[in-house]
Every structure is written in structure tokens, then in C-alpha cells.
Amino acid sequence: MQNLKRLKKLMDASLQILDHMIVDPSDAGKLRHIKEMMHEENRKLSNIYNKDTDQRSFSAATSMRQNIDEIIKVVDQFKGNLREDYRLSSQDIEQFEQLSIDEQSQKTEAYHDKIDYKSMVKLKENLNRINDELLRL
């Protein structure tokens, strides 16, 4: 039951990351696709959470792991695109990140691209942790 609680927290945190992201219109479809996949897995998690049978939970967890792996592939690709946007808008990521937050925020496009990229990095970390928790069910 503790695993399910941790899974639920990770899933909620992941959905919150996605809900707060505002991407360029050209990327909106990709973001929407990731959100849809995550919401579907969240529904499955809710079903697991509400069932008592270990066998059904195990079967659903196996299916979820496969689906989370697919989401990770999509997130990886999207993360790569967002990193490239960030690289182009900042001109030099390392140099940009050495600026103070105030200085970064004055460079609106680069700062926005940084937030989008870092959000995808955090989302991927959460997805990996979700898979780890699913393995423990």
C-alpha cells in the first residue's frame, strides 16, 4: 500500500509539471499527447489503488510499466527538442545558467526555454521513479 501511495504522489507531481508547462504552439501537440498518456496511466493507477487483489494489481502494474516506458521514449524525444530550443535561445547554456535569476528572467525566451527543458528533465526523473515503484508492487 505504501508503494501505491508513493506512486500516486509521483503521478500527481508529474501531472502538475505538465499542467504548468506552456510551450510554443509548434510543441503544443506533443505536450498534449504526453498529458493524455499520463492521464490514462493515472486512471489505471487509481484502479489499482482501489483494488484489493494482488494478482490484478500485478497485472495492471506490468501493463503500466510498459506504457510508462513508451511515455519515457516520447518525453526523451521532446526533451531533446526542448534542449535544442534552449541552446539556441540562450546561445550558451552554461554561460546563461551562470547569470543571476534576475538576469536570466530578463532574457524571456531563453528563460522560458530553460523552464520547459528543466520541467521535462524532472518529468523523466519522476517517470523513472514511477517505474521503480511499479517494479516493487
Side-chain angles (χ1 to χ4, degrees):
M1 193 58 132
Q2 289 292 23
N3 290 49
L4 288 174
K5 287 180 182 179
R6 284 191 298 272
L7 271 168
K8 187 67 176 145
K9 283 184 178 183
L10 285 166
M11 186 64 76
D12 289 345
S14 298
L15 289 168
Q16 186 176 15
I17 289 168
L18 290 168
D19 286 342
H20 285 96
M21 287 184 70
I22 301 171
V23 297
D24 295 333
S26 61
D27 291 326
K30 293 174 199 164
L31 181 62
R32 187 173 37 258
H33 181 62
I34 292 169
K35 283 182 182 182
E36 289 168 358
M37 291 187 298
M38 289 296 294
H39 279 291
E40 178 62 27
E41 295 314 303
N42 192 41
R43 279 190 286 281
K44 289 177 186 175
L45 181 59
S46 294
N47 287 338
I48 294 172
Y49 198 79
N50 294 325
K51 293 196 184 337
D52 293 330
T53 308
D54 287 339
Q55 185 58 35
R56 281 185 279 183
S57 294
F58 177 77
S59 176
T62 301
S63 171
M64 277 188 73
R65 275 196 317 275
Q66 293 168 345
N67 293 336
I68 294 294
D69 285 340
E70 288 301 313
I71 294 170
I72 288 171
K73 289 177 187 173
V74 175
V75 165
D76 273 340
Q77 181 183 19
F78 192 35
K79 185 177 68 130
N81 295 347
L82 292 173
R83 187 180 193 298
E84 182 62 14
D85 290 347
Y86 179 29
R87 187 189 66 75
L88 291 172
S89 64
S90 69
Q91 297 174 353
D92 183 334
I93 290 174
E94 288 180 22
Q95 188 176 30
F96 180 76
E97 289 186 356
Q98 290 178 3
L99 298 173
S100 72
I101 295 296
D102 288 337
E103 291 171 312
Q104 288 180 28
S105 65
Q106 290 173 8
K107 299 179 183 204
T108 311
E109 183 180 357
Y111 188 68
H112 176 75
D113 288 345
K114 172 189 172 184
I115 291 170
D116 287 343
Y117 170 67
K118 299 286 184 175
S119 294
M120 274 296 119
V121 169
K122 182 62 181 171
L123 178 61
K124 183 171 180 202
E125 290 171 3
N126 283 358
L127 290 169
N128 287 330
R129 291 175 63 198
I130 287 170
N131 260 349
D132 290 345
E133 290 297 329
L134 286 168
L135 284 170
R136 292 186 188 116
L137 287 180

